[in-house]
Amino acid sequence: MINNKVSFKNVSLKLKNNFSLKNLSFSFSSLGISIIIGPNGSGKTLITKLIRGIVKPDKGSIQLKEKKSRISYLSQKPTFLRRNVFNNLAYPMLINGFWELETNIRINHLLNFFDFSDKANLSARILSGGNKQFLSFIRSLVLDTEILILDEPCSNLDLKSNNRIENYLKSIKKKKKIIMVTHDLFQAMRLADEILIINDGRLIEISSRSDVLKSKEEFTQNFLTRNIS
């Protein structure tokens, strides 16, 4: 079985605005859903960008135990080609060497599965904000990668689309590693196998969902109280 464990070893990164990640060392579980939570501006998105390789650490390293693990990444601010929905989904497969036939089969399957087929011929750039977000999620699935990184995948979605994504993630979590950022603590509690709590660029704790609820860390207790009550 592929070992999708992602590890940070003494990772530090300082940005121009003086925000920094400070000596992060931890490992995500190999499979299942790991959710990153914390206050706005705490470094959650930066952690996902480091895993994806969009930014590089000043010090330390991010390691994948399985070197051949492939990663898909959903950004908070998705961008689309000047093409229709179908071709925006097909593009990642075509540039990665998939045949046109298998690309068409895969994209049609995803469009049908997520009830998005009626939008296949629409320009991706004219979709509503919620539909763009949903399309971005579908696009993150087309390459069927071992590691799926999702930064606020449900932020603009209605309840039906939100539930559809949550149910899908739960259905695949035994086969993939999913690392997800969310501001919705209730969503984190519904989905997470483990939770990473970060504040001001520092790791507060990483543990199972049940252990986080029983945490004796003062910051964790205060954060949960503010966001659940």
Side-chain angles (χ1 to χ4, degrees):
M1 183 179 74
I2 290 176
N3 184 345
N4 289 320
K5 183 164 282 189
V6 179
S7 297
F8 278 54
K9 294 195 174 182
N10 306 117
V11 171
S12 294
L13 174 61
K14 188 169 185 178
L15 302 180
K16 291 181 180 179
N17 61 4
N18 291 323
F19 177 81
S20 59
L21 294 176
K22 301 153 187 173
N23 199 36
L24 295 180
S25 292
F26 61 89
S27 293
F28 290 105
S29 59
S30 296
L31 294 173
I33 302 174
S34 297
I35 291 190
I36 307 171
I37 60 174
N40 290 338
S42 58
K44 303 185 295 295
T45 290
L46 199 51
I47 288 174
T48 67
K49 289 182 175 180
L50 282 163
I51 299 170
R52 184 65 184 89
I54 296 171
V55 294
K56 303 293 184 183
D58 296 328
K59 297 179 181 178
S61 62
I62 296 96
Q63 299 179 349
L64 300 180
K65 290 294 177 66
E66 178 61 52
K67 299 295 185 183
K68 295 182 181 179
S69 292
R70 298 176 303 145
I71 300 174
S72 288
Y73 179 75
L74 183 155
S75 168
Q76 278 189 47
K77 299 177 181 180
T79 57
F80 298 101
L81 302 171
R82 295 182 185 276
R83 303 179 185 182
N84 63 24
V85 165
F86 186 96
N87 287 321
N88 266 275
L89 292 175
Y91 182 74
M93 295 189 70
L94 294 175
I95 65 172
N96 277 277
F98 287 86
W99 294 351
E100 185 175 356
L101 177 59
E102 60 184 326
T103 297
N104 290 343
I105 291 172
R106 173 72 175 162
I107 302 309
N108 281 316
H109 166 73
L110 289 171
L111 287 170
N112 288 327
F113 185 86
F114 288 106
D115 290 334
F116 219 70
S117 295
D118 59 332
K119 300 174 180 63
N121 294 316
L122 297 178
S123 169
R125 293 188 173 188
I126 69 167
L127 297 177
S128 67
N131 279 329
K132 284 180 179 177
Q133 188 75 14
F134 199 60
L135 175 60
S136 183
F137 174 75
I138 298 172
R139 185 173 60 181
S140 72
L141 306 177
V142 298
L143 295 178
D144 197 22
T145 57
E146 293 90 4
I147 298 175
L148 188 59
I149 302 174
L150 307 171
D151 192 357
E152 299 282 8
C154 302
S155 57
N156 295 312
L157 299 184
D158 59 25
L159 182 60
K160 180 180 178 181
S161 298
N162 185 92
N163 289 342
R164 190 181 290 271
I165 286 178
E166 288 190 10
N167 289 335
Y168 183 78
L169 293 177
K170 286 187 284 190
S171 76
I172 65 171
K173 71 176 189 174
K174 292 183 179 180
K175 299 179 287 185
K176 296 182 184 292
K177 179 67 217 167
I178 301 163
I179 298 172
M180 176 174 160
V181 172
T182 181
H183 67 277
D184 184 342
L185 194 55
F186 291 101
Q187 182 178 63
M189 293 304 170
R190 288 193 298 270
L191 291 180
D193 296 299
E194 69 175 359
I195 293 177
L196 182 150
I197 300 179
I198 187 169
N199 182 49
D200 193 28
R202 298 182 185 275
L203 176 67
I204 304 301
E205 63 179 299
I206 181 169
S207 57
S208 68
R209 175 178 50 190
S210 58
D211 286 343
V212 163
L213 291 172
K214 298 180 290 186
S215 174
K216 292 182 168 44
E217 289 282 348
E218 182 178 359
F219 176 85
T220 299
Q221 292 177 348
N222 291 337
F223 181 78
L224 294 178
T225 300
R226 288 195 306 271
N227 287 278
I228 291 181
S229 60

Coordinates of all heavy atoms in Angstrom, one line a residue, residues 41-93:
G41 N -5.1 34.2 9.3 CA -3.8 34.7 9.2 C -2.8 33.9 10.1 O -1.6 34.3 10.3
S42 N -3.2 32.7 10.5 CA -2.3 31.9 11.4 C -1.2 31.1 10.6 O -0.3 30.6 11.2 CB -3.1 31.0 12.3 OG -3.9 30.1 11.5
G43 N -1.4 30.9 9.3 CA -0.5 30.2 8.5 C -1.0 28.9 7.9 O -0.3 28.1 7.3
K44 N -2.4 28.7 7.9 CA -3.0 27.5 7.4 C -2.7 27.3 5.9 O -2.3 26.2 5.5 CB -4.5 27.5 7.7 CG -4.8 27.7 9.2 CD -6.3 27.6 9.4 CE -7.1 28.7 8.8 NZ -6.8 30.0 9.3
T45 N -3.0 28.3 5.1 CA -2.8 28.3 3.7 C -1.4 28.1 3.3 O -1.0 27.4 2.4 CB -3.4 29.5 3.0 OG1 -4.8 29.5 3.1 CG2 -3.0 29.6 1.5
L46 N -0.5 28.7 4.1 CA 0.9 28.6 3.8 C 1.4 27.2 4.0 O 2.3 26.8 3.2 CB 1.7 29.6 4.7 CG 3.1 30.0 4.3 CD1 3.2 30.5 2.9 CD2 3.7 31.0 5.3
I47 N 0.9 26.5 4.9 CA 1.3 25.1 5.1 C 0.9 24.3 3.8 O 1.7 23.4 3.4 CB 0.6 24.5 6.3 CG1 1.3 25.1 7.6 CG2 0.7 23.0 6.4 CD1 0.6 24.7 8.9
T48 N -0.3 24.5 3.3 CA -0.7 23.8 2.1 C 0.2 24.1 0.9 O 0.5 23.3 0.1 CB -2.2 24.1 1.8 OG1 -2.4 25.4 1.4 CG2 -3.1 23.8 2.9
K49 N 0.5 25.4 0.8 CA 1.4 25.8 -0.3 C 2.8 25.2 -0.2 O 3.4 24.8 -1.2 CB 1.5 27.3 -0.4 CG 0.2 28.0 -0.9 CD 0.4 29.5 -1.0 CE -0.9 30.1 -1.5 NZ -0.7 31.6 -1.6
L50 N 3.3 25.0 1.0 CA 4.6 24.3 1.2 C 4.5 22.9 0.8 O 5.4 22.4 0.2 CB 5.0 24.5 2.7 CG 5.6 25.8 3.1 CD1 5.6 25.9 4.6 CD2 7.0 26.0 2.6
I51 N 3.4 22.2 1.2 CA 3.3 20.8 0.8 C 3.2 20.6 -0.7 O 3.9 19.8 -1.3 CB 2.0 20.2 1.4 CG1 2.1 20.2 2.9 CG2 1.9 18.7 1.0 CD1 0.8 19.9 3.6
R52 N 2.5 21.5 -1.4 CA 2.4 21.5 -2.8 C 3.6 21.9 -3.6 O 3.8 21.6 -4.7 CB 1.2 22.4 -3.3 CG 0.9 22.3 -4.8 CD 0.4 20.9 -5.2 NE 0.2 20.8 -6.6 CZ 1.1 20.4 -7.5 NH1 2.4 20.2 -7.1 NH2 0.9 20.3 -8.7
G53 N 4.5 22.6 -2.8 CA 5.7 23.1 -3.5 C 5.6 24.5 -4.1 O 6.5 24.9 -4.9
I54 N 4.5 25.2 -3.9 CA 4.3 26.5 -4.4 C 5.3 27.5 -3.8 O 5.7 28.4 -4.5 CB 2.8 27.0 -4.2 CG1 1.9 26.0 -5.0 CG2 2.6 28.4 -4.7 CD1 0.4 26.2 -4.7
V55 N 5.6 27.3 -2.6 CA 6.6 28.1 -1.9 C 7.6 27.1 -1.2 O 7.3 26.0 -1.0 CB 6.0 29.1 -0.8 CG1 5.2 30.1 -1.5 CG2 5.2 28.3 0.2
K56 N 8.8 27.6 -1.0 CA 9.8 26.8 -0.4 C 10.2 27.3 1.0 O 10.2 28.5 1.2 CB 11.1 26.8 -1.3 CG 10.9 26.3 -2.7 CD 10.5 24.8 -2.8 CE 10.4 24.4 -4.2 NZ 9.9 22.9 -4.3
P57 N 10.5 26.4 1.9 CA 10.9 26.9 3.2 C 12.3 27.5 3.2 O 13.1 27.2 2.4 CB 10.9 25.6 4.1 CG 11.2 24.5 3.1 CD 10.5 24.9 1.8
D58 N 12.5 28.5 4.2 CA 13.8 29.0 4.4 C 14.8 28.0 5.0 O 16.0 27.9 4.7 CB 13.8 30.3 5.2 CG 13.0 31.4 4.6 OD1 13.0 31.5 3.3 OD2 12.3 32.2 5.3
K59 N 14.2 27.2 5.9 CA 14.9 26.2 6.6 C 14.0 25.0 6.8 O 12.8 25.0 6.8 CB 15.4 26.7 8.0 CG 16.3 27.9 8.0 CD 16.7 28.3 9.4 CE 17.6 29.5 9.5 NZ 17.9 29.9 10.8
G60 N 14.7 23.8 6.9 CA 13.9 22.6 7.1 C 13.5 22.0 5.8 O 13.8 22.4 4.7
S61 N 12.6 20.9 5.9 CA 12.2 20.2 4.7 C 10.8 19.6 4.9 O 10.4 19.4 6.1 CB 13.2 19.1 4.4 OG 13.2 18.1 5.5
I62 N 10.1 19.5 3.8 CA 8.8 18.7 3.8 C 9.1 17.4 3.0 O 9.6 17.5 1.9 CB 7.7 19.6 3.1 CG1 7.5 20.9 3.9 CG2 6.4 18.8 2.9 CD1 8.2 22.0 3.4
Q63 N 8.8 16.3 3.6 CA 9.1 15.0 3.1 C 7.8 14.2 2.8 O 6.9 14.2 3.7 CB 10.1 14.3 4.0 CG 11.4 15.0 4.2 CD 12.3 14.3 5.2 OE1 11.9 13.3 5.8 NE2 13.6 14.7 5.3
L64 N 7.9 13.5 1.7 CA 6.8 12.5 1.4 C 7.5 11.1 1.6 O 8.5 10.9 1.0 CB 6.3 12.6 0.0 CG 5.6 14.0 -0.3 CD1 5.1 13.9 -1.8 CD2 4.5 14.3 0.6
K65 N 6.9 10.3 2.4 CA 7.5 8.9 2.6 C 7.5 8.1 1.3 O 8.4 7.3 1.0 CB 6.7 8.2 3.7 CG 6.9 8.8 5.1 CD 8.3 8.6 5.6 CE 8.6 9.2 6.9 NZ 7.9 8.6 8.0
E66 N 6.4 8.3 0.5 CA 6.3 7.7 -0.8 C 6.7 8.7 -1.9 O 5.9 9.6 -2.2 CB 4.9 7.1 -1.1 CG 4.7 6.5 -2.4 CD 5.6 5.3 -2.6 OE1 5.6 4.4 -1.7 OE2 6.3 5.2 -3.6
K67 N 7.9 8.6 -2.4 CA 8.4 9.6 -3.3 C 7.6 9.9 -4.5 O 7.6 10.9 -5.1 CB 9.9 9.3 -3.7 CG 10.9 9.2 -2.6 CD 11.1 10.5 -1.9 CE 12.1 10.4 -0.8 NZ 12.3 11.7 -0.1
K68 N 6.9 8.8 -5.0 CA 6.1 8.9 -6.2 C 4.7 9.4 -6.0 O 3.9 9.5 -6.9 CB 6.1 7.6 -6.9 CG 7.5 7.1 -7.4 CD 7.4 5.8 -8.2 CE 8.8 5.4 -8.6 NZ 8.7 4.1 -9.4
S69 N 4.3 9.8 -4.7 CA 3.0 10.3 -4.5 C 2.7 11.5 -5.3 O 3.5 12.4 -5.4 CB 2.9 10.6 -3.0 OG 2.9 9.5 -2.2
R70 N 1.5 11.5 -5.9 CA 1.1 12.7 -6.7 C 0.2 13.5 -5.9 O -0.6 13.0 -5.1 CB 0.5 12.2 -8.0 CG 1.4 11.4 -8.9 CD 0.6 10.9 -10.1 NE -0.5 10.1 -9.7 CZ -1.7 10.0 -10.4 NH1 -1.8 10.8 -11.4 NH2 -2.6 9.3 -9.9
I71 N 0.2 14.8 -6.1 CA -0.6 15.8 -5.3 C -1.5 16.6 -6.2 O -1.1 17.1 -7.2 CB 0.3 16.7 -4.5 CG1 1.2 15.9 -3.6 CG2 -0.5 17.7 -3.7 CD1 2.3 16.7 -2.9
S72 N -2.8 16.7 -5.8 CA -3.7 17.7 -6.4 C -4.0 18.8 -5.3 O -4.0 18.5 -4.1 CB -5.0 17.0 -6.8 OG -4.8 16.2 -7.9
Y73 N -4.1 20.0 -5.8 CA -4.2 21.1 -5.0 C -5.4 22.0 -5.4 O -5.5 22.4 -6.5 CB -2.9 21.9 -5.0 CG -2.9 23.2 -4.1 CD1 -2.8 23.1 -2.8 CD2 -3.0 24.4 -4.7 CE1 -2.7 24.2 -2.0 CE2 -3.0 25.6 -3.9 CZ -2.8 25.5 -2.5 OH -2.8 26.6 -1.7
L74 N -6.3 22.3 -4.4 CA -7.4 23.3 -4.6 C -7.1 24.5 -3.9 O -7.0 24.5 -2.7 CB -8.7 22.7 -4.2 CG -10.0 23.5 -4.4 CD1 -11.2 22.5 -4.5 CD2 -10.2 24.5 -3.3
S75 N -7.0 25.6 -4.6 CA -6.7 26.9 -4.0 C -7.9 27.6 -3.6 O -9.0 27.4 -4.1 CB -5.9 27.8 -5.0 OG -5.8 29.2 -4.6
Q76 N -7.8 28.6 -2.6 CA -8.9 29.4 -2.2 C -9.4 30.3 -3.4 O -10.6 30.6 -3.4 CB -8.5 30.4 -1.1 CG -8.5 29.7 0.3 CD -8.3 30.8 1.4 OE1 -8.9 31.8 1.4 NE2 -7.4 30.5 2.3
K77 N -8.5 30.6 -4.3 CA -8.9 31.5 -5.4 C -8.6 30.8 -6.7 O -7.6 31.0 -7.3 CB -8.0 32.8 -5.3 CG -8.3 33.6 -4.0 CD -7.4 34.8 -3.9 CE -7.7 35.6 -2.6 NZ -6.8 36.8 -2.5
P78 N -9.6 30.0 -7.1 CA -9.4 29.2 -8.4 C -9.3 30.1 -9.6 O -10.0 31.1 -9.7 CB -10.6 28.3 -8.4 CG -11.6 29.0 -7.6 CD -10.9 29.7 -6.5
T79 N -8.5 29.7 -10.6 CA -8.5 30.4 -11.9 C -8.8 29.4 -12.9 O -8.5 28.2 -12.8 CB -7.1 31.0 -12.1 OG1 -6.1 30.0 -12.1 CG2 -6.8 32.1 -11.1
F80 N -9.4 29.9 -14.0 CA -9.8 29.0 -15.1 C -9.3 29.5 -16.5 O -9.1 30.7 -16.7 CB -11.3 28.8 -15.1 CG -11.9 28.2 -13.9 CD1 -12.4 29.0 -12.9 CD2 -11.8 26.9 -13.6 CE1 -12.9 28.5 -11.7 CE2 -12.3 26.3 -12.5 CZ -12.8 27.1 -11.5
L81 N -9.1 28.6 -17.4 CA -8.8 28.9 -18.7 C -10.0 29.5 -19.5 O -11.1 29.3 -19.0 CB -8.3 27.6 -19.5 CG -7.1 26.9 -18.9 CD1 -7.0 25.5 -19.6 CD2 -5.9 27.7 -19.0
R82 N -9.7 30.2 -20.6 CA -10.8 30.8 -21.4 C -11.4 29.7 -22.2 O -11.3 29.7 -23.5 CB -10.3 31.9 -22.2 CG -9.8 33.1 -21.5 CD -9.3 34.2 -22.4 NE -8.7 35.3 -21.6 CZ -9.5 36.3 -21.1 NH1 -10.8 36.3 -21.2 NH2 -8.9 37.3 -20.4
R83 N -11.9 28.7 -21.5 CA -12.5 27.5 -22.2 C -13.8 27.1 -21.5 O -14.0 27.6 -20.4 CB -11.5 26.4 -22.2 CG -10.2 26.7 -22.9 CD -9.2 25.5 -22.9 NE -7.9 25.9 -23.4 CZ -6.9 25.1 -23.5 NH1 -7.0 23.8 -23.2 NH2 -5.7 25.5 -24.0
N84 N -14.5 26.2 -22.0 CA -15.7 25.8 -21.3 C -15.4 24.8 -20.1 O -14.2 24.5 -19.9 CB -16.7 25.1 -22.3 CG -16.2 23.8 -22.9 OD1 -15.3 23.2 -22.4 ND2 -16.7 23.5 -24.1
V85 N -16.4 24.5 -19.4 CA -16.2 23.7 -18.2 C -15.5 22.4 -18.5 O -14.6 21.9 -17.9 CB -17.6 23.4 -17.5 CG1 -17.5 22.3 -16.5 CG2 -18.0 24.7 -16.9
F86 N -16.0 21.7 -19.6 CA -15.4 20.4 -19.9 C -13.9 20.5 -20.2 O -13.1 19.7 -19.7 CB -16.2 19.8 -21.2 CG -15.7 18.4 -21.5 CD1 -16.5 17.3 -21.1 CD2 -14.6 18.2 -22.3 CE1 -16.1 16.0 -21.4 CE2 -14.2 16.9 -22.6 CZ -14.9 15.8 -22.1
N87 N -13.5 21.5 -21.0 CA -12.1 21.6 -21.4 C -11.3 22.1 -20.2 O -10.1 21.8 -20.2 CB -12.0 22.5 -22.6 CG -12.5 21.8 -23.9 OD1 -12.3 20.7 -24.1 ND2 -13.2 22.6 -24.7
N88 N -11.8 22.8 -19.3 CA -11.0 23.2 -18.1 C -10.7 21.9 -17.3 O -9.7 21.8 -16.7 CB -11.8 24.2 -17.3 CG -11.4 25.6 -17.6 OD1 -10.4 26.2 -17.1 ND2 -12.2 26.2 -18.5
L89 N -11.7 21.0 -17.2 CA -11.5 19.7 -16.5 C -10.5 18.8 -17.3 O -9.7 18.1 -16.7 CB -12.8 19.0 -16.3 CG -13.8 19.7 -15.3 CD1 -15.1 19.0 -15.3 CD2 -13.2 19.9 -13.9
A90 N -10.6 18.8 -18.6 CA -9.8 17.9 -19.4 C -8.3 18.3 -19.5 O -7.5 17.5 -19.6 CB -10.4 17.8 -20.8
Y91 N -8.1 19.6 -19.4 CA -6.7 20.1 -19.6 C -5.7 19.5 -18.7 O -4.6 19.1 -19.2 CB -6.7 21.7 -19.4 CG -5.4 22.3 -19.6 CD1 -4.9 22.5 -20.9 CD2 -4.6 22.7 -18.6 CE1 -3.7 23.1 -21.2 CE2 -3.4 23.3 -18.8 CZ -2.9 23.5 -20.1 OH -1.7 24.1 -20.3
P92 N -5.9 19.3 -17.4 CA -4.9 18.7 -16.6 C -4.5 17.2 -17.0 O -3.4 16.8 -16.9 CB -5.5 18.6 -15.1 CG -6.5 19.7 -15.2 CD -7.0 19.8 -16.6
M93 N -5.5 16.5 -17.5 CA -5.3 15.2 -18.0 C -4.5 15.2 -19.3 O -3.5 14.4 -19.4 CB -6.6 14.4 -18.1 CG -7.3 14.2 -16.9 SD -8.7 13.0 -17.1 CE -7.9 11.5 -17.4

